[in-house]
Amino acid sequence: MFSQSYNINLPEDVVPDSARAFVDVTGNVLGPAIQNLNSLVSLPTGCGEQNMVKFDPNYLVLDYLSDIGKLTDGIKSEAIRNLNTGYQRELNYRHYDGSFSAFGESDGEGSMFLTAFVLRSFYEAQRYITIDGSLLTSMQDWIISRQQADGCFPNIGQIIDTGIQGGLEGEKNKGAITAYVVASLIISKYQNQTVITEALSCLSNNPPANPYETFLYSYAEALSGDNGDAQNLIQQIKPRAITNDGMEYYRNNNGTTATNIETVAYAVLSNLQIGNSKSDVVPLVRYLTSNLNPQGGFSSTQDTVVGLHALSNFAKLVYKDPDNIQVSISGGLQETVQITENNKLLVQRNMVSQVPSTLNIQAQGQGCGLLQTSLRYHTNTPPEQNKFRLNVVGDCIGPDCKQRKITTVVSYIPAGKIAGMSVVQIKMVTGTVPDRDSLDQLTANPNNKILRTDIEDNQVVCYLSEVSNYDMQFSFNVEVVIEVSNPQPGTAKVFDYYAPENFAATTYSFENLT
């Protein structure tokens, strides 16, 4: 029997009646993802990597449901539509030489990481949509033309994923990007075995420096068919495993939450690829599911893509196991939920009637189930600034205040540290819209670190190449299109793209209205 209690608490400054809590119960670890294919993570999609978070999960879900014989016409239609849209959008980030990068031709060169990422994704997706075969060939050719004499692949282009850069513990290990690239070549059925063999030699000559690299290496070795080396890597890192509440996971020094999730996902993929048992990965899967967001994704792009890949492979393994589980919930919610063979793919949502409260969960029976609690609320004050400082000010720039300006100042707090690619999101005050020309001027200025600006749902999204300890200031104009009496303040947020838990949020208004 499973028995656990969860406290649902609220902060002191919560907005009255704004709290909503739910308990979701399903017999399928992919259930939330299948239900929320279009909203797995709360991220903008203005760069070549972010776009893929709305691409890859679709073919993973199609593979899973096809394999278990439960693919419906509705899900198939939605997933294929998403794949076609993502495919066309991703082509905007392709270079003339066949490579891909975060912002396409506006970047100086293609990215080794993103090209390898797109290669494996497009290859897998061609089971469901038409992919131009010459695109796959040109990506493979671009990648192998840059293989070095020692068999390694270089970190060419902007690397957004901090884990792929290697050196989470202060070293620059070129084996990490090589492991990722060789895995993509194997997945895409690249035929020149010499290239593969030399890349694997690079891994042997550049030992992994941390758990993330170890499992990335192990997965590449497993894909190549070398189960012995893959298993040895798994066993070597096992003493660093952290076990708690039936979970197993690994921490990387200076690693982000997203990197730690990727680490465990690669651990699952490696174990399953070499044929290890279900019992070997269940504790790892428990850790992954404990980090799912309410939509079924994780915090960012790579952890969501790799995490869902791991969960889908596990879900295929356990689907044939019979399910007959009774879940009893008491406290803030009185409910009994049954998971059976007939409803194991459904996500059964139950609203908690009392918030705050304590939920007492008991489950008994046989099978695999996922129970997830989620809590949403509004507060009267922005959350405490965490790692970033953010200040946003609105001003009038015309006598009638029809023309206005928003000025943003952002910096990174940890002394001597620099945040990698970061995103600033500024929601417009009701009745105002951003001026596209002034946003374009931000990216046209070579002194700015603003790589791209987008407007999504009347929200300005700015992609910054980095944020340092020094204040970075930028401004853009907005225009009043509808006069609104006493509008609510606008909201703004900055976050590290690959460590979204590092963020700052604030509000702003136009104080000098006349």
Side-chain angles (χ1 to χ4, degrees), residues 474-496:
F474 60 92
S475 302
F476 60 89
N477 296 337
V478 300
E479 182 178 357
V480 177
V481 292
I482 300 175
E483 292 288 353
V484 178
S485 299
N486 300 317
Q488 292 295 311
T491 59
K493 180 180 180 179
V494 59
F495 62 92
D496 185 323

Side-chain angles (χ1 to χ4, degrees), residues 256-380:
T256 65
T257 299
T259 304
N260 293 335
I261 290 170
E262 279 186 72
T263 300
V264 173
Y266 278 120
V268 173
L269 290 171
S270 300
N271 275 280
L272 295 182
Q273 183 68 31
I274 63 178
N276 285 343
S277 70
K278 178 174 61 178
S279 61
D280 290 319
V281 299
V282 165
L284 298 164
V285 170
R286 286 196 182 113
Y287 173 80
L288 291 179
T289 57
S290 73
N291 282 278
L292 284 170
N293 67 35
Q295 286 74 43
F298 293 92
S299 63
S300 195
T301 300
Q302 279 299 303
D303 60 340
T304 294
V305 169
V306 182
L308 290 182
H309 188 187
L311 290 180
S312 67
N313 284 9
F314 174 77
K316 294 174 191 176
L317 185 68
V318 301
Y319 180 78
K320 58 187 176 183
D321 296 341
D323 268 326
N324 185 16
I325 304 172
Q326 177 176 292
V327 181
S328 300
I329 309 169
S330 61
L333 168 67
Q334 304 292 326
E335 192 67 59
T336 299
V337 182
Q338 292 287 146
I339 301 175
T340 68
E341 286 295 294
N342 294 328
N343 68 8
K344 65 195 299 182
L345 291 179
L346 298 178
V347 177
Q348 302 180 63
R349 166 154 287 195
N350 303 273
M351 186 172 181
V352 179
S353 55
Q354 299 177 24
V355 181
S357 64
T358 298
L359 293 177
N360 303 303
I361 312 291
Q362 288 190 333
Q364 56 185 349
Q366 180 184 17
C368 177
L370 172 66
L371 184 145
Q372 187 176 33
T373 61
S374 58
L375 172 65
R376 299 183 178 94
Y377 55 84
H378 296 290
T379 59
N380 289 306

